[in-house]
Each structure stands twice: as structure tokens, then as C-alpha cells.
Amino acid sequence: MTSLLLVAQVTADAAARVGEGRIQGGWGYVAASYAIAYGAMAAYAVSLWLRRPRGGKSEE
Amino acid sequence: MNDKYRALRNGLAVLGVLTLAVGAYMGLSWAPAEREMGEVYRIIYVHVPAMWMALLAVTLNLVCCISYLFKASWGKDALAEASAEVAVLFGGFGLVLGSIWAKPTWGVWWDWDPRLTSMSVMLVAYLGYLAMRKFVEDPEKRAVWSAVVGIIAYVDIPIVWFSVKWWRTLHQVQSTPKTVDADMTLALRVNAFAFLFLMAFFVWNRYRIARAQRAAEVALPEALPTSAGHTSTGPVPGVLS
């Protein structure tokens, strides 16, 4: 019984140590990254639309 | 035929946006947090696909450049131009996302490590490629010179890919599905396909613009009258198709 408690304690300690190294928060960086990625692609799509060939038959 | 192509192009865009929406949900909510980076690692779902698309686009550019030198065609030249511009788009914002990810994980926005440096060199090289295309007015010279520049610029790409293996870098080596959670792999693949559909849509539309520009450029000298009633001997549409 004592050894089982000891194993449980060691496991709990190990789990706590792993958690200590984790970066907390950071959603601001994530939001900024997704906004830049999607914004850049949307802006490029608009630029393609503005530069689209007009009139006449376009070659594919 | 044009209607069929238009439907295909629009279909690519719709497919890309829908897959991107699913990918955003998976990347931001469905996939588990990373053991050490926590939530910040979710940048991977936009950063890595962007870089993959940049590398794919420059490889397409290389194929067009080599192919053009063997058998000249305005189509190959236009596709080379389109792929280089799209590569700069994905590489440019992909590098910015990498910098944002670096701040919370490495503690700095930027480091002159081999991966970041070689990627920056790639961007500068392809920006130079696009700038050169703007400066050369003769379409044939422009096509030949830019094909040569495109091949030279690609020398940097193996360095970008292998830099994390050849040198000790801050940037991690490529992960494999064996080393990450299966849910993370699936979320990354969904986002990669979304970016792939959108990249194809961008390249196709940019190609159409380049083809229209080439057609206008090569048609102009022919339309201009020259001395003794002859027409110009400039490039004629159809000679390079």
C-alpha cells in the first residue's frame, strides 16, 4: 500500500513538472497570425480581381 | 469553354474558403494544446501551410523556367511570373507568422539562424525576379532573362529545406506524423489542402492576367506601321504560343 502511494506521488510530481514548462496564454499571438494570414490572402484576391483581364477572350 | 474554366476557378475558391473555415475551427479549437507551447503552437496551422505553398510555387516557377529555355512559350513565361508572385505572397506572410511565433517561444522576434536567413534570401531573390520582369520591356528578352534568374534563385531552396538538418538552428527540424498527435496531423493536413486550393486559384487567376498582358505586348509592335509600309518585325502572337 505504501509503495502504491509512493508511485502515485512520484507520478503526480512528474506531471506537475511537465506542466511547469508550458507557455501560458499567447492567444494574442495566435489571433494576430490568423488575421495576417487570412488578411493577406483576402487582399491578394482583391488585387487579382482589380487586375483581371477585361473585354475580349482571355486565354486559360 | 471560358464558362467551364470560370466555373472551375470559382469552384477552387469556394472549396478553398470552405476548407479554410474547417481548418480554422480544427486549428483553433478542435486540435489539442501542445505540451510545452500551450496554445501558441496553433500558429503552426497557418505558418507551415504558407511555407509549403511558397516552396511549391517556386518549384512550379523552376519547372516553367527550365521548360521555357528548352521550348519557348508565352504560356510558360506567364505561369512562371504567376507562380513567383504567389510564392512571394505565401513566403512573405509565412515569414511574418514565423516571427510572431518566435517571440513567445524563442523570446525574440528574429534571429539570423540558417532557416530564417535562407528563407529571407529566397524572398529577396524572387522579389528581384519580379522587379527584373518589370524593368525589361522586350517580352522575349524578359522571358529568357527571367527564366535564367528563376533557375539561379532556386539554388537557395534546397538550402532552405535542409538548413535545419545541416546546421544547429533555433528552428526545429521537420516533424513527422510519428512524432506528433494524430489530431494535430489531421488539422495541419486540412489547412494545407485549404492553402493548396487557394494557391491554385491565385496562380490560375494571376496566369490569366499575365497571358492578357503578353498578348497586348506582342500584338502592339505588329499593329504599328513602319517605314515603306512594312509592319514591325517584333514578336508576333502565335509564334510563341
Short mmCIF file of all heavy atoms in Angstrom, two decimals, chain A residues 18-19 21-27 29-30 32-34 36-38 40-42 44-45 47-49 51-53 56-60, chain B residues 2 5 9 20 24 28 34-36 39-40 42-43 45 85-86 89 93 97 100 103-105 195 202 204 206-209 211-212:
data_model
loop_
_atom_site.label_atom_id
_atom_site.label_comp_id
_atom_site.label_asym_id
_atom_site.label_seq_id
_atom_site.Cartn_x
_atom_site.Cartn_y
_atom_site.Cartn_z
N VAL A 18 6.10 18.58 -15.74
CA VAL A 18 5.84 18.78 -17.17
C VAL A 18 5.03 20.06 -17.37
O VAL A 18 5.31 20.86 -18.24
CB VAL A 18 5.10 17.56 -17.77
CG1 VAL A 18 4.59 17.87 -19.16
CG2 VAL A 18 6.03 16.36 -17.82
N GLY A 19 4.03 20.24 -16.51
CA GLY A 19 3.16 21.42 -16.64
C GLY A 19 3.87 22.72 -16.39
O GLY A 19 3.50 23.76 -16.93
N GLY A 21 6.64 23.83 -17.48
CA GLY A 21 7.35 24.41 -18.61
C GLY A 21 6.44 24.95 -19.70
O GLY A 21 6.93 25.42 -20.71
N ARG A 22 5.14 24.87 -19.50
CA ARG A 22 4.22 25.25 -20.58
C ARG A 22 4.02 26.76 -20.66
O ARG A 22 3.86 27.42 -19.63
CB ARG A 22 2.88 24.57 -20.37
CG ARG A 22 1.86 24.92 -21.44
CD ARG A 22 0.56 24.23 -21.22
NE ARG A 22 0.62 22.81 -21.57
CZ ARG A 22 -0.46 22.05 -21.70
NH1 ARG A 22 -1.65 22.55 -21.51
NH2 ARG A 22 -0.33 20.78 -22.01
N ILE A 23 4.04 27.26 -21.89
CA ILE A 23 3.77 28.69 -22.10
C ILE A 23 2.30 28.95 -21.80
O ILE A 23 1.43 28.21 -22.28
CB ILE A 23 4.10 29.10 -23.56
CG1 ILE A 23 5.59 28.93 -23.84
CG2 ILE A 23 3.64 30.52 -23.84
CD1 ILE A 23 5.98 29.09 -25.30
N GLN A 24 2.04 29.95 -20.99
CA GLN A 24 0.67 30.28 -20.63
C GLN A 24 0.13 31.38 -21.55
O GLN A 24 0.85 32.29 -21.92
CB GLN A 24 0.61 30.76 -19.17
CG GLN A 24 1.09 29.74 -18.16
CD GLN A 24 0.25 28.46 -18.16
OE1 GLN A 24 -0.98 28.51 -18.14
NE2 GLN A 24 0.91 27.31 -18.20
N GLY A 25 -1.14 31.25 -21.91
CA GLY A 25 -1.78 32.31 -22.72
C GLY A 25 -1.24 32.30 -24.14
O GLY A 25 -1.02 31.24 -24.73
N GLY A 26 -1.06 33.47 -24.69
CA GLY A 26 -0.50 33.58 -26.04
C GLY A 26 -1.55 33.65 -27.13
O GLY A 26 -1.22 33.60 -28.32
N TRP A 27 -2.80 33.77 -26.76
CA TRP A 27 -3.87 33.83 -27.77
C TRP A 27 -3.74 35.08 -28.64
O TRP A 27 -4.20 35.08 -29.80
CB TRP A 27 -5.25 33.78 -27.11
CG TRP A 27 -5.67 32.39 -26.77
CD1 TRP A 27 -5.71 31.82 -25.53
CD2 TRP A 27 -6.08 31.36 -27.69
NE1 TRP A 27 -6.12 30.51 -25.62
CE2 TRP A 27 -6.37 30.20 -26.94
CE3 TRP A 27 -6.23 31.30 -29.07
CZ2 TRP A 27 -6.80 29.01 -27.52
CZ3 TRP A 27 -6.67 30.12 -29.66
CH2 TRP A 27 -6.95 28.99 -28.89
N TYR A 29 -1.00 36.32 -29.87
CA TYR A 29 -0.09 35.97 -30.98
C TYR A 29 -0.82 35.13 -32.03
O TYR A 29 -0.64 35.29 -33.23
CB TYR A 29 1.11 35.19 -30.46
CG TYR A 29 2.03 35.97 -29.54
CD1 TYR A 29 2.06 35.73 -28.17
CD2 TYR A 29 2.88 36.94 -30.06
CE1 TYR A 29 2.90 36.44 -27.33
CE2 TYR A 29 3.74 37.65 -29.23
CZ TYR A 29 3.73 37.39 -27.86
OH TYR A 29 4.57 38.10 -27.04
N VAL A 30 -1.64 34.19 -31.52
CA VAL A 30 -2.38 33.31 -32.44
C VAL A 30 -3.37 34.13 -33.27
O VAL A 30 -3.44 33.99 -34.50
CB VAL A 30 -3.12 32.21 -31.63
CG1 VAL A 30 -3.96 31.34 -32.56
CG2 VAL A 30 -2.13 31.37 -30.85
N ALA A 32 -3.32 37.31 -33.98
CA ALA A 32 -2.60 38.18 -34.93
C ALA A 32 -2.14 37.38 -36.15
O ALA A 32 -2.25 37.85 -37.29
CB ALA A 32 -1.41 38.83 -34.23
N SER A 33 -1.66 36.17 -35.91
CA SER A 33 -1.16 35.34 -37.01
C SER A 33 -2.27 34.96 -37.99
O SER A 33 -2.12 35.07 -39.21
CB SER A 33 -0.53 34.05 -36.46
OG SER A 33 0.56 34.39 -35.65
N TYR A 34 -3.41 34.52 -37.44
CA TYR A 34 -4.52 34.13 -38.32
C TYR A 34 -5.05 35.36 -39.08
O TYR A 34 -5.40 35.26 -40.26
CB TYR A 34 -5.63 33.46 -37.52
CG TYR A 34 -5.36 32.00 -37.24
CD1 TYR A 34 -4.35 31.61 -36.36
CD2 TYR A 34 -6.09 30.99 -37.87
CE1 TYR A 34 -4.07 30.28 -36.11
CE2 TYR A 34 -5.82 29.65 -37.61
CZ TYR A 34 -4.81 29.30 -36.73
OH TYR A 34 -4.54 27.96 -36.49
N ILE A 36 -3.37 38.03 -39.97
CA ILE A 36 -2.40 38.40 -41.03
C ILE A 36 -2.52 37.43 -42.20
O ILE A 36 -2.54 37.83 -43.37
CB ILE A 36 -0.97 38.43 -40.46
CG1 ILE A 36 -0.80 39.64 -39.53
CG2 ILE A 36 0.07 38.48 -41.58
CD1 ILE A 36 0.47 39.66 -38.73
N ALA A 37 -2.60 36.12 -41.90
CA ALA A 37 -2.66 35.11 -42.98
C ALA A 37 -3.92 35.30 -43.82
O ALA A 37 -3.85 35.40 -45.05
CB ALA A 37 -2.63 33.71 -42.36
N TYR A 38 -5.07 35.37 -43.16
CA TYR A 38 -6.32 35.48 -43.90
C TYR A 38 -6.42 36.86 -44.58
O TYR A 38 -6.93 36.97 -45.70
CB TYR A 38 -7.52 35.25 -42.99
CG TYR A 38 -7.58 33.84 -42.41
CD1 TYR A 38 -8.42 33.52 -41.36
CD2 TYR A 38 -6.80 32.82 -42.93
CE1 TYR A 38 -8.48 32.23 -40.84
CE2 TYR A 38 -6.84 31.53 -42.42
CZ TYR A 38 -7.68 31.25 -41.36
OH TYR A 38 -7.72 29.97 -40.85
N ALA A 40 -3.92 38.74 -45.66
CA ALA A 40 -3.01 38.79 -46.82
C ALA A 40 -3.64 38.09 -48.02
O ALA A 40 -3.59 38.60 -49.15
CB ALA A 40 -1.68 38.15 -46.46
N MET A 41 -4.25 36.93 -47.77
CA MET A 41 -4.86 36.19 -48.88
C MET A 41 -6.08 36.94 -49.43
O MET A 41 -6.29 36.99 -50.65
CB MET A 41 -5.23 34.77 -48.43
CG MET A 41 -4.01 33.89 -48.26
SD MET A 41 -4.39 32.13 -48.08
CE MET A 41 -4.93 32.08 -46.38
N ALA A 42 -6.86 37.54 -48.54
CA ALA A 42 -8.03 38.30 -49.00
C ALA A 42 -7.59 39.51 -49.81
O ALA A 42 -8.15 39.82 -50.88
CB ALA A 42 -8.86 38.74 -47.79
N TYR A 44 -4.83 39.88 -51.49
CA TYR A 44 -4.29 39.43 -52.78
C TYR A 44 -5.42 39.05 -53.73
O TYR A 44 -5.35 39.34 -54.93
CB TYR A 44 -3.34 38.24 -52.58
CG TYR A 44 -2.61 37.87 -53.85
CD1 TYR A 44 -1.67 38.73 -54.40
CD2 TYR A 44 -2.87 36.68 -54.51
CE1 TYR A 44 -1.01 38.41 -55.58
CE2 TYR A 44 -2.21 36.35 -55.69
CZ TYR A 44 -1.28 37.23 -56.22
OH TYR A 44 -0.63 36.92 -57.40
N ALA A 45 -6.47 38.43 -53.20
CA ALA A 45 -7.62 38.07 -54.04
C ALA A 45 -8.25 39.34 -54.61
O ALA A 45 -8.61 39.39 -55.80
CB ALA A 45 -8.64 37.29 -53.22
N SER A 47 -6.68 42.17 -55.15
CA SER A 47 -5.74 42.74 -56.15
C SER A 47 -5.86 41.99 -57.48
O SER A 47 -5.78 42.59 -58.54
CB SER A 47 -4.31 42.72 -55.62
OG SER A 47 -3.65 41.54 -56.00
N LEU A 48 -6.08 40.67 -57.41
CA LEU A 48 -6.26 39.89 -58.65
C LEU A 48 -7.56 40.32 -59.35
O LEU A 48 -7.61 40.43 -60.58
CB LEU A 48 -6.30 38.40 -58.34
CG LEU A 48 -4.99 37.73 -57.93
CD1 LEU A 48 -5.23 36.28 -57.53
CD2 LEU A 48 -3.96 37.81 -59.04
N TRP A 49 -8.59 40.55 -58.55
CA TRP A 49 -9.87 40.95 -59.13
C TRP A 49 -9.74 42.32 -59.81
O TRP A 49 -10.26 42.54 -60.90
CB TRP A 49 -10.95 40.97 -58.04
CG TRP A 49 -12.30 41.25 -58.59
CD1 TRP A 49 -13.13 40.38 -59.24
CD2 TRP A 49 -12.99 42.50 -58.55
NE1 TRP A 49 -14.29 41.01 -59.61
CE2 TRP A 49 -14.24 42.30 -59.20
CE3 TRP A 49 -12.69 43.75 -58.02
CZ2 TRP A 49 -15.18 43.33 -59.33
CZ3 TRP A 49 -13.62 44.77 -58.16
CH2 TRP A 49 -14.85 44.56 -58.81
N ARG A 51 -7.08 43.56 -61.13
CA ARG A 51 -6.20 43.46 -62.31
C ARG A 51 -6.73 42.50 -63.36
O ARG A 51 -6.05 42.22 -64.34
CB ARG A 51 -4.80 42.98 -61.86
CG ARG A 51 -4.05 43.98 -61.00
CD ARG A 51 -2.65 43.46 -60.67
NE ARG A 51 -2.68 42.40 -59.67
CZ ARG A 51 -1.64 41.61 -59.39
NH1 ARG A 51 -0.50 41.76 -60.06
NH2 ARG A 51 -1.73 40.69 -58.46
N ARG A 52 -7.92 41.96 -63.16
CA ARG A 52 -8.46 40.91 -64.05
C ARG A 52 -8.53 41.42 -65.50
O ARG A 52 -8.76 42.61 -65.74
CB ARG A 52 -9.84 40.47 -63.58
CG ARG A 52 -10.93 41.49 -63.82
CD ARG A 52 -12.20 41.11 -63.07
NE ARG A 52 -13.28 42.06 -63.35
CZ ARG A 52 -13.41 43.26 -62.80
NH1 ARG A 52 -12.49 43.71 -61.95
NH2 ARG A 52 -14.42 44.03 -63.11
N PRO A 53 -8.29 40.52 -66.46
CA PRO A 53 -8.41 40.92 -67.87
C PRO A 53 -9.85 41.30 -68.18
O PRO A 53 -10.77 40.58 -67.80
CB PRO A 53 -8.01 39.65 -68.64
CG PRO A 53 -7.44 38.73 -67.64
CD PRO A 53 -7.96 39.10 -66.31
N GLY A 56 -12.82 41.08 -74.40
CA GLY A 56 -12.13 40.12 -75.24
C GLY A 56 -12.06 38.76 -74.59
O GLY A 56 -12.40 38.59 -73.43
N LYS A 57 -11.59 37.80 -75.35
CA LYS A 57 -11.50 36.43 -74.85
C LYS A 57 -10.16 36.24 -74.15
O LYS A 57 -9.12 36.53 -74.71
CB LYS A 57 -11.60 35.46 -76.02
CG LYS A 57 -12.04 34.07 -75.61
CD LYS A 57 -12.20 33.17 -76.80
CE LYS A 57 -10.87 32.69 -77.30
NZ LYS A 57 -10.99 31.72 -78.40
N SER A 58 -10.19 35.78 -72.92
CA SER A 58 -8.93 35.56 -72.21
C SER A 58 -8.47 34.12 -72.43
O SER A 58 -9.30 33.22 -72.56
CB SER A 58 -9.11 35.83 -70.72
OG SER A 58 -9.99 34.90 -70.18
N GLU A 59 -7.13 33.94 -72.45
CA GLU A 59 -6.60 32.59 -72.64
C GLU A 59 -6.45 31.91 -71.30
O GLU A 59 -5.99 32.52 -70.35
CB GLU A 59 -5.24 32.66 -73.34
CG GLU A 59 -5.36 33.27 -74.72
CD GLU A 59 -4.01 33.29 -75.41
OE1 GLU A 59 -3.49 32.21 -75.64
OE2 GLU A 59 -3.52 34.38 -75.71
N GLU A 60 -6.83 30.67 -71.21
CA GLU A 60 -6.78 29.96 -69.92
C GLU A 60 -5.46 29.24 -69.75
O GLU A 60 -4.88 28.75 -70.62
CB GLU A 60 -7.92 28.95 -69.84
CG GLU A 60 -9.29 29.61 -69.80
CD GLU A 60 -9.56 30.36 -68.50
OE1 GLU A 60 -8.86 30.13 -67.51
OE2 GLU A 60 -10.46 31.22 -68.51
N ASN B 2 -14.83 29.02 -71.95
CA ASN B 2 -14.45 30.00 -70.95
C ASN B 2 -15.33 29.89 -69.71
O ASN B 2 -14.85 30.07 -68.59
CB ASN B 2 -14.54 31.42 -71.52
CG ASN B 2 -13.20 31.87 -72.09
OD1 ASN B 2 -12.23 31.11 -72.07
ND2 ASN B 2 -13.15 33.06 -72.59
N TYR B 5 -14.11 27.02 -67.58
CA TYR B 5 -12.92 27.39 -66.80
C TYR B 5 -13.28 28.32 -65.64
O TYR B 5 -12.73 28.20 -64.57
CB TYR B 5 -11.88 28.07 -67.70
CG TYR B 5 -11.14 27.10 -68.58
CD1 TYR B 5 -11.01 27.33 -69.95
CD2 TYR B 5 -10.54 25.96 -68.06
CE1 TYR B 5 -10.31 26.46 -70.76
CE2 TYR B 5 -9.85 25.07 -68.86
CZ TYR B 5 -9.74 25.33 -70.22
OH TYR B 5 -9.05 24.45 -71.00
N ARG B 9 -12.53 27.71 -61.76
CA ARG B 9 -11.79 28.67 -60.91
C ARG B 9 -12.60 29.05 -59.69
O ARG B 9 -12.10 29.05 -58.57
CB ARG B 9 -11.44 29.93 -61.71
CG ARG B 9 -10.27 29.79 -62.64
CD ARG B 9 -9.70 31.15 -63.00
NE ARG B 9 -10.72 32.09 -63.42
CZ ARG B 9 -11.21 32.17 -64.67
NH1 ARG B 9 -10.77 31.36 -65.60
NH2 ARG B 9 -12.13 33.06 -64.97
N LEU B 20 -10.80 26.12 -45.59
CA LEU B 20 -10.11 27.02 -44.66
C LEU B 20 -10.94 27.23 -43.39
O LEU B 20 -10.39 27.29 -42.28
CB LEU B 20 -9.84 28.37 -45.35
CG LEU B 20 -8.78 29.26 -44.73
CD1 LEU B 20 -7.41 28.59 -44.79
CD2 LEU B 20 -8.73 30.60 -45.45
N ALA B 24 -9.67 26.31 -39.83
CA ALA B 24 -9.57 27.29 -38.75
C ALA B 24 -10.20 26.75 -37.47
O ALA B 24 -9.64 26.89 -36.37
CB ALA B 24 -10.25 28.59 -39.16
N LEU B 28 -7.87 26.09 -34.29
CA LEU B 28 -8.05 26.99 -33.15
C LEU B 28 -8.77 26.35 -31.97
O LEU B 28 -8.65 26.82 -30.84
CB LEU B 28 -8.84 28.24 -33.59
CG LEU B 28 -8.09 29.20 -34.52
CD1 LEU B 28 -9.03 30.25 -35.07
CD2 LEU B 28 -6.93 29.86 -33.79
N GLU B 34 -0.51 22.09 -27.22
CA GLU B 34 0.80 21.42 -27.25
C GLU B 34 1.38 21.35 -25.82
O GLU B 34 1.10 22.24 -25.01
CB GLU B 34 1.74 22.17 -28.18
CG GLU B 34 2.81 21.31 -28.82
CD GLU B 34 4.11 21.33 -28.05
OE1 GLU B 34 4.26 22.21 -27.17
OE2 GLU B 34 4.97 20.48 -28.31
N ARG B 35 2.15 20.29 -25.54
CA ARG B 35 2.61 20.06 -24.17
C ARG B 35 3.42 21.22 -23.60
O ARG B 35 3.23 21.62 -22.46
CB ARG B 35 3.45 18.78 -24.13
CG ARG B 35 3.64 18.26 -22.71
CD ARG B 35 4.47 17.00 -22.69
NE ARG B 35 5.84 17.25 -23.14
CZ ARG B 35 6.79 16.33 -23.18
NH1 ARG B 35 6.51 15.11 -22.81
NH2 ARG B 35 8.00 16.61 -23.58
N GLU B 36 4.31 21.79 -24.40
CA GLU B 36 5.17 22.86 -23.88
C GLU B 36 4.79 24.24 -24.38
O GLU B 36 4.91 25.23 -23.67
CB GLU B 36 6.64 22.56 -24.23
CG GLU B 36 7.16 21.38 -23.44
CD GLU B 36 8.53 20.91 -23.91
OE1 GLU B 36 9.10 21.56 -24.80
OE2 GLU B 36 9.01 19.91 -23.39
N GLU B 39 -1.10 27.01 -26.16
CA GLU B 39 -1.97 27.42 -27.27
C GLU B 39 -1.19 28.11 -28.40
O GLU B 39 -1.65 28.15 -29.54
CB GLU B 39 -3.06 28.38 -26.76
CG GLU B 39 -3.83 27.89 -25.54
CD GLU B 39 -4.64 26.64 -25.80
OE1 GLU B 39 -4.80 26.27 -26.98
OE2 GLU B 39 -5.09 26.01 -24.82
N VAL B 40 -0.02 28.65 -28.09
CA VAL B 40 0.74 29.44 -29.07
C VAL B 40 1.09 28.61 -30.31
O VAL B 40 1.17 29.14 -31.42
CB VAL B 40 2.02 29.99 -28.41
CG1 VAL B 40 2.97 30.59 -29.43
CG2 VAL B 40 1.66 31.05 -27.38
N ARG B 42 -0.61 26.92 -32.08
CA ARG B 42 -1.68 26.89 -33.09
C ARG B 42 -1.32 27.73 -34.32
O ARG B 42 -1.96 27.62 -35.36
CB ARG B 42 -3.01 27.34 -32.48
CG ARG B 42 -3.51 26.39 -31.41
CD ARG B 42 -4.84 26.81 -30.84
NE ARG B 42 -5.18 26.01 -29.67
CZ ARG B 42 -5.69 24.77 -29.72
NH1 ARG B 42 -5.91 24.22 -30.89
NH2 ARG B 42 -5.95 24.11 -28.61
N ILE B 43 -0.30 28.56 -34.19
CA ILE B 43 0.20 29.33 -35.35
C ILE B 43 0.70 28.37 -36.43
O ILE B 43 0.71 28.70 -37.62
CB ILE B 43 1.32 30.30 -34.89
CG1 ILE B 43 0.76 31.34 -33.93
CG2 ILE B 43 1.98 30.98 -36.08
CD1 ILE B 43 1.80 32.21 -33.26
N TYR B 45 -0.69 26.02 -37.85
CA TYR B 45 -1.70 25.68 -38.86
C TYR B 45 -1.82 26.73 -39.97
O TYR B 45 -2.52 26.50 -40.96
CB TYR B 45 -3.05 25.43 -38.19
CG TYR B 45 -2.98 24.29 -37.20
CD1 TYR B 45 -3.19 24.50 -35.84
CD2 TYR B 45 -2.67 23.01 -37.63
CE1 TYR B 45 -3.10 23.46 -34.93
CE2 TYR B 45 -2.56 21.96 -36.72
CZ TYR B 45 -2.77 22.19 -35.39
OH TYR B 45 -2.67 21.15 -34.49
N GLU B 85 5.04 35.33 -58.15
CA GLU B 85 4.32 36.33 -57.35
C GLU B 85 3.57 35.66 -56.19
O GLU B 85 3.59 36.16 -55.06
CB GLU B 85 3.33 37.10 -58.24
CG GLU B 85 2.70 38.27 -57.52
CD GLU B 85 1.83 39.12 -58.42
OE1 GLU B 85 2.38 39.79 -59.31
OE2 GLU B 85 0.60 39.11 -58.24
N VAL B 86 2.94 34.53 -56.48
CA VAL B 86 2.20 33.82 -55.42
C VAL B 86 3.18 33.26 -54.37
O VAL B 86 2.88 33.25 -53.18
CB VAL B 86 1.33 32.70 -56.04
CG1 VAL B 86 0.71 31.82 -54.97
CG2 VAL B 86 0.22 33.33 -56.90
N LEU B 89 3.97 36.02 -52.06
CA LEU B 89 2.83 36.26 -51.15
C LEU B 89 2.89 35.28 -49.97
O LEU B 89 2.94 35.72 -48.81
CB LEU B 89 1.51 36.07 -51.91
CG LEU B 89 0.27 36.01 -51.00
CD1 LEU B 89 -0.13 37.41 -50.55
CD2 LEU B 89 -0.90 35.33 -51.70
N PHE B 93 4.10 36.41 -46.02
CA PHE B 93 3.33 36.40 -44.76
C PHE B 93 3.69 35.18 -43.91
O PHE B 93 3.58 35.24 -42.67
CB PHE B 93 1.83 36.60 -44.99
CG PHE B 93 1.02 35.40 -45.44
CD1 PHE B 93 0.72 34.38 -44.57
CD2 PHE B 93 0.51 35.33 -46.73
CE1 PHE B 93 -0.04 33.29 -44.97
CE2 PHE B 93 -0.26 34.26 -47.14
CZ PHE B 93 -0.54 33.23 -46.24
N LEU B 97 4.54 35.36 -39.92
CA LEU B 97 3.92 34.48 -38.90
C LEU B 97 4.99 33.75 -38.09
O LEU B 97 4.84 33.55 -36.88
CB LEU B 97 3.00 33.46 -39.57
CG LEU B 97 1.88 33.98 -40.47
CD1 LEU B 97 0.94 32.84 -40.85
CD2 LEU B 97 1.12 35.08 -39.82
N ILE B 100 6.23 36.09 -35.51
CA ILE B 100 5.28 36.24 -34.39
C ILE B 100 5.36 35.02 -33.47
O ILE B 100 5.31 35.14 -32.24
CB ILE B 100 3.85 36.42 -34.94
CG1 ILE B 100 3.74 37.77 -35.66
CG2 ILE B 100 2.81 36.32 -33.83
CD1 ILE B 100 2.43 37.97 -36.41
N LYS B 103 8.52 35.02 -31.03
CA LYS B 103 8.55 35.89 -29.85
C LYS B 103 8.20 35.15 -28.55
O LYS B 103 8.97 35.17 -27.59
CB LYS B 103 7.64 37.10 -30.08
CG LYS B 103 7.61 38.09 -28.94
CD LYS B 103 8.99 38.67 -28.64
CE LYS B 103 8.91 39.66 -27.47
NZ LYS B 103 10.24 39.98 -26.95
N PRO B 104 7.03 34.48 -28.49
CA PRO B 104 6.72 33.78 -27.21
C PRO B 104 7.52 32.50 -26.99
O PRO B 104 7.65 32.05 -25.84
CB PRO B 104 5.22 33.46 -27.35
CG PRO B 104 4.95 33.44 -28.81
CD PRO B 104 5.92 34.40 -29.44
N THR B 105 8.07 31.89 -28.07
CA THR B 105 8.76 30.61 -27.87
C THR B 105 10.28 30.76 -27.76
O THR B 105 10.92 30.08 -26.98
CB THR B 105 8.43 29.62 -29.02
OG1 THR B 105 8.65 30.28 -30.27
CG2 THR B 105 7.00 29.16 -28.94
N PHE B 195 -4.99 25.79 -48.15
CA PHE B 195 -4.00 26.69 -48.74
C PHE B 195 -3.67 26.27 -50.18
O PHE B 195 -3.44 27.11 -51.04
CB PHE B 195 -2.72 26.72 -47.89
CG PHE B 195 -2.78 27.69 -46.74
CD1 PHE B 195 -3.81 27.63 -45.81
CD2 PHE B 195 -1.81 28.68 -46.57
CE1 PHE B 195 -3.87 28.52 -44.75
CE2 PHE B 195 -1.87 29.57 -45.51
CZ PHE B 195 -2.90 29.49 -44.60
N PHE B 202 -5.17 31.32 -56.95
CA PHE B 202 -4.36 32.54 -57.15
C PHE B 202 -3.48 32.42 -58.40
O PHE B 202 -3.41 33.35 -59.21
CB PHE B 202 -3.48 32.82 -55.93
CG PHE B 202 -4.22 33.24 -54.70
CD1 PHE B 202 -3.68 33.03 -53.43
CD2 PHE B 202 -5.47 33.86 -54.79
CE1 PHE B 202 -4.38 33.42 -52.29
CE2 PHE B 202 -6.16 34.25 -53.65
CZ PHE B 202 -5.61 34.02 -52.39
N TRP B 204 -3.79 30.51 -60.99
CA TRP B 204 -4.59 30.45 -62.22
C TRP B 204 -5.04 31.87 -62.63
O TRP B 204 -4.93 32.26 -63.80
CB TRP B 204 -5.80 29.55 -61.99
CG TRP B 204 -6.50 29.11 -63.24
CD1 TRP B 204 -6.36 29.65 -64.50
CD2 TRP B 204 -7.44 28.05 -63.38
NE1 TRP B 204 -7.17 28.99 -65.39
CE2 TRP B 204 -7.84 28.00 -64.73
CE3 TRP B 204 -8.00 27.14 -62.48
CZ2 TRP B 204 -8.78 27.07 -65.20
CZ3 TRP B 204 -8.93 26.22 -62.96
CH2 TRP B 204 -9.31 26.19 -64.29
N ARG B 206 -3.73 34.75 -61.66
CA ARG B 206 -2.57 35.59 -61.98
C ARG B 206 -2.01 35.23 -63.35
O ARG B 206 -1.52 36.09 -64.09
CB ARG B 206 -1.50 35.41 -60.89
CG ARG B 206 -0.27 36.28 -61.05
CD ARG B 206 -0.64 37.75 -60.98
NE ARG B 206 0.52 38.61 -61.23
CZ ARG B 206 0.97 38.91 -62.43
NH1 ARG B 206 0.37 38.44 -63.53
NH2 ARG B 206 2.02 39.71 -62.57
N TYR B 207 -2.11 33.94 -63.69
CA TYR B 207 -1.67 33.46 -65.01
C TYR B 207 -2.51 34.12 -66.10
O TYR B 207 -2.00 34.55 -67.14
CB TYR B 207 -1.79 31.94 -65.04
CG TYR B 207 -1.71 31.33 -66.42
CD1 TYR B 207 -0.48 31.12 -67.04
CD2 TYR B 207 -2.86 30.95 -67.12
CE1 TYR B 207 -0.40 30.56 -68.31
CE2 TYR B 207 -2.79 30.39 -68.38
CZ TYR B 207 -1.57 30.20 -68.97
OH TYR B 207 -1.50 29.65 -70.22
N ARG B 208 -3.81 34.20 -65.89
CA ARG B 208 -4.69 34.82 -66.88
C ARG B 208 -4.31 36.29 -67.10
O ARG B 208 -4.30 36.79 -68.22
CB ARG B 208 -6.15 34.73 -66.42
CG ARG B 208 -6.71 33.32 -66.46
CD ARG B 208 -8.14 33.29 -65.96
NE ARG B 208 -9.05 33.98 -66.87
CZ ARG B 208 -9.81 35.02 -66.55
NH1 ARG B 208 -9.78 35.51 -65.33
NH2 ARG B 208 -10.60 35.58 -67.43
N ILE B 209 -3.98 36.98 -66.01
CA ILE B 209 -3.58 38.38 -66.11
C ILE B 209 -2.29 38.48 -66.93
O ILE B 209 -2.17 39.32 -67.84
CB ILE B 209 -3.38 38.99 -64.69
CG1 ILE B 209 -4.71 39.02 -63.95
CG2 ILE B 209 -2.77 40.37 -64.79
CD1 ILE B 209 -4.58 39.32 -62.46
N ARG B 211 -1.09 36.34 -69.13
CA ARG B 211 -1.35 36.00 -70.53
C ARG B 211 -1.96 37.20 -71.28
O ARG B 211 -1.60 37.47 -72.42
CB ARG B 211 -2.30 34.80 -70.63
CG ARG B 211 -1.67 33.44 -70.43
CD ARG B 211 -0.48 33.16 -71.31
NE ARG B 211 -0.78 33.09 -72.74
CZ ARG B 211 -0.92 31.98 -73.44
NH1 ARG B 211 -0.82 30.83 -72.85
NH2 ARG B 211 -1.12 32.02 -74.74
N ALA B 212 -2.87 37.89 -70.62
CA ALA B 212 -3.51 39.05 -71.26
C ALA B 212 -2.48 40.16 -71.51
O ALA B 212 -2.49 40.81 -72.57
CB ALA B 212 -4.65 39.56 -70.38
#
